């Protein structure tokens, strides 16, 4: 196993919680995908019932600030392609998302 492979697997916690069989196992439930959280929040706001007591949404930072210039993945196109291919082929969540984003299941194509 290459060093990048071990590094990727170290970063992927709880990836065993997704199963693509969810898409067909519950009647009238279909998994969908979206690429833009802001657009999704706005859209879902029109579908859900409002809370009786609403609060202002405040994003909470959970990760340390990043400097992509110092991350090898963003400097090396070949490595980035290799990691993306590995994740799509070996992690069901990423395989589902990759296929979904190019399908009619994408809630907001082009956004």
């Amino acid at each position: 196993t290459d060093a990048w492979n071990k590094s990727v697997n170290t970063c992927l916690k709880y990836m065993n919680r997704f199963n693509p069989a969810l898409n067909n196992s519950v009647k009238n439930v279909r998994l969908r995908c979206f690429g833009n959280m802001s657009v999704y929040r706005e859209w879902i706001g029109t579908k859900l019932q409002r809370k009786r007591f609403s609060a202002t949404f405040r994003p909470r930072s959970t990760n340390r600030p990043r400097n992509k210039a110092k991350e090898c993945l963003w400097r090396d196109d070949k490595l980035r392609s290799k990691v993306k291919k590995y994740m799509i082929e070996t992690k069901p969540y990423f395989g589902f998302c990759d296929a979904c984003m190019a399908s009619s299941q994408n809630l907001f194509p082009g956004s």
Side-chain angles (χ1 to χ4, degrees):
T1 308
D2 295 339
W4 67 265
N5 188 297
K6 289 178 186 173
S7 183
V8 167
N9 285 325
T10 300
C11 294
L12 298 173
K13 304 288 183 201
Y14 311 112
M15 290 309 301
N16 59 347
R17 297 188 303 176
F18 176 81
N19 187 326
L22 291 169
N23 207 24
N24 299 312
S25 62
V26 180
K27 187 178 179 181
N28 296 326
V29 171
R30 295 294 169 264
L31 301 179
R32 304 292 295 265
C33 54
F34 56 91
N36 185 320
M37 189 57 153
S38 301
V39 174
Y40 174 76
R41 245 192 332 267
E42 190 176 310
W43 175 81
I44 199 68
T46 66
K47 309 293 181 205
L48 299 175
Q49 182 178 349
R50 296 264 176 219
K51 293 181 184 179
R52 285 194 311 173
F53 304 101
S54 63
T56 304
F57 174 74
R58 289 184 304 174
R60 291 174 178 82
S61 179
T62 57
N63 299 323
R64 293 184 305 250
R66 293 173 58 188
N67 181 350
K68 286 186 177 184
K70 291 184 177 182
E71 297 175 12
C72 64
L73 196 59
W74 301 108
R75 294 189 312 257
D76 186 339
D77 291 341
K78 200 180 234 181
L79 177 61
R80 191 168 52 251
S81 274
K82 191 186 278 190
V83 169
K84 181 179 178 182
K85 182 177 189 277
Y86 168 77
M87 291 172 63
I88 289 169
E89 291 176 353
T90 63
K91 309 297 179 194
Y93 175 77
F94 291 99
F96 169 80
C97 290
D98 185 63
C100 184
M101 292 300 283
S103 76
S104 62
Q105 293 299 99
N106 185 344
L107 287 174
F108 315 111
S111 68

